[in-house]
Amino acid sequence: MKSNAERMSLVFTRAKKIKYRRETKKLNFCKAATALLSVLLLCCAALFPASYKSAAVAGYCGAILLIDGVGGYVLTAVVTFVAATVITVICIKIKNRRNRK
């Protein structure tokens, strides 16, 4: 028979292993999401052609978006920024949870 202290130490080691597996799964998900978003960024950059013409309305704010093909780059940049922000927030929350424990 094992003593109570031995059983408690086994429970704690098992709990640490489970927490470690959960954290590695989260980090692996973040790595996979980052790789997927990088590939998506490259695909978006390849899909939108880089044809430049003069802007139809010169001198106004946002006139650069009227140039053919630039809107795709702006959309790609906004989506990438939002995705990077979400990934950063998730990583910060994971780090804070680790520091609390």
Side-chain angles (χ1 to χ4, degrees), residues 20-87:
Y20 178 76
R21 287 181 189 153
R22 284 182 187 164
E23 288 178 1
T24 54
K25 283 182 182 180
K26 288 178 185 177
L27 288 176
N28 287 338
F29 174 75
C30 287
K31 289 177 186 178
T34 304
L36 179 67
L37 289 172
S38 298
V39 170
L40 182 65
L41 176 64
L42 291 175
C43 291
C44 287
L47 288 177
F48 297 113
S51 61
Y52 296 103
K53 297 179 183 176
S54 63
V57 182
Y60 288 103
C61 295
I64 193 71
L65 296 177
L66 298 174
I67 298 174
D68 290 338
V70 175
Y73 288 112
V74 172
L75 177 65
T76 303
V78 169
V79 169
T80 304
F81 176 76
V82 169
T85 305
V86 169
I87 290 172

